Amino acid sequence: MILLQMLADVRDPVEADLESLIDAYQNLLYTIAIGILGKGRREDAEECVADTFLAYWRNRHREIENIQAYLAVSAKHMALNRLKQLRRREYEELTEDMPDLFSMTPEEEVIEAVNEEIVRQVLAGLAGYDGEIFLRRYFWCQSVKEIARQMELKPKFVENRLYLAKKHIREELLRRHINL
């Protein structure tokens, strides 16, 4: 009996608390995961919850101030990552089975190449910050705030330059008889 008590004292206290944590937070984490993944993905949500507790177990020696917040954020990120994987897999399956409906005729390819070159010329003709701001926003998918921060500009200035750049591009493309 003394040996069992000694072993219990040596055992990691986090391990002893893990079951109580699972009981206390399992429903919350499942609700978070199912909210992101959707009700049709119950098994994936359960796996996210299990992965969340596994991540907690692996990091049990770190000091965590708010366990509920840590677990909730971990579950959210696990579910978001799972959703990305599922969407990528569904897209790959869809594109594998899809016939090549998007192939262009040689004439269409020439027209597309000419249009791309005209758009490149118009973008190259943008003055000052406009070209870089436009590329960052619409080709690199950066937010207005991110562009403003990286280029050390005010967000309102970035928004105004985007508006003017779009207006200039639209006018130039229409002038060159490119339909939008």
Side-chain angles (χ1 to χ4, degrees), residues 120-137:
R120 262 193 220 97
Q121 290 172 3
V122 171
L123 288 176
L126 290 175
Y129 292 114
D130 294 355
E132 184 176 353
I133 290 172
F134 189 86
L135 287 172
R136 284 175 179 258
R137 180 71 177 122

Side-chain angles (χ1 to χ4, degrees), residues 8-68:
D9 291 341
V10 172
R11 193 172 78 175
D12 190 346
V14 175
E15 183 179 343
D17 292 337
L18 186 60
E19 280 187 41
S20 62
L21 284 175
I22 290 172
D23 291 340
Y25 297 115
Q26 184 173 7
N27 291 337
L28 169 67
L29 303 182
Y30 181 77
T31 302
I32 291 169
I34 210 73
I36 292 170
L37 295 169
K39 291 182 181 178
R41 301 277 186 194
R42 294 187 188 282
E43 289 179 11
D44 291 313
E46 290 170 4
E47 283 184 37
C48 288
V49 171
D51 291 345
T52 300
F53 285 115
L54 181 62
Y56 171 78
W57 177 253
R58 287 182 180 153
N59 293 309
R60 68 187 178 275
H61 299 295
R62 282 183 35 203
E63 187 175 322
I64 299 171
E65 290 182 27
N66 186 337
I67 292 176
Q68 180 179 359

Side-chain angles (χ1 to χ4, degrees), residues 138-154:
Y138 296 107
F139 289 91
W140 302 348
C141 300
Q142 290 182 337
S143 69
V144 170
K145 288 181 182 179
E146 189 175 358
I147 295 168
R149 184 181 52 77
Q150 288 180 358
M151 294 181 71
E152 298 177 355
L153 302 169
K154 294 186 184 232

Side-chain angles (χ1 to χ4, degrees), residues 47-111:
E47 283 184 37
C48 288
V49 171
D51 291 345
T52 300
F53 285 115
L54 181 62
Y56 171 78
W57 177 253
R58 287 182 180 153
N59 293 309
R60 68 187 178 275
H61 299 295
R62 282 183 35 203
E63 187 175 322
I64 299 171
E65 290 182 27
N66 186 337
I67 292 176
Q68 180 179 359
Y70 174 85
L71 291 172
V73 170
S74 293
K76 173 186 163 192
H77 288 291
M78 295 282 183
L80 289 171
N81 289 338
R82 179 65 52 95
L83 186 62
K84 287 178 190 175
Q85 290 172 350
L86 292 170
R87 286 184 176 164
R88 190 177 307 123
R89 191 176 317 134
E90 288 171 356
Y91 174 77
E92 289 170 358
E93 289 171 1
L94 178 67
T95 56
E96 282 177 6
D97 298 337
M98 187 179 294
D100 192 12
L101 300 174
F102 302 106
S103 62
M104 293 187 275
T105 65
E107 295 84 14
E108 292 170 329
E109 288 179 10
V110 169
I111 292 169

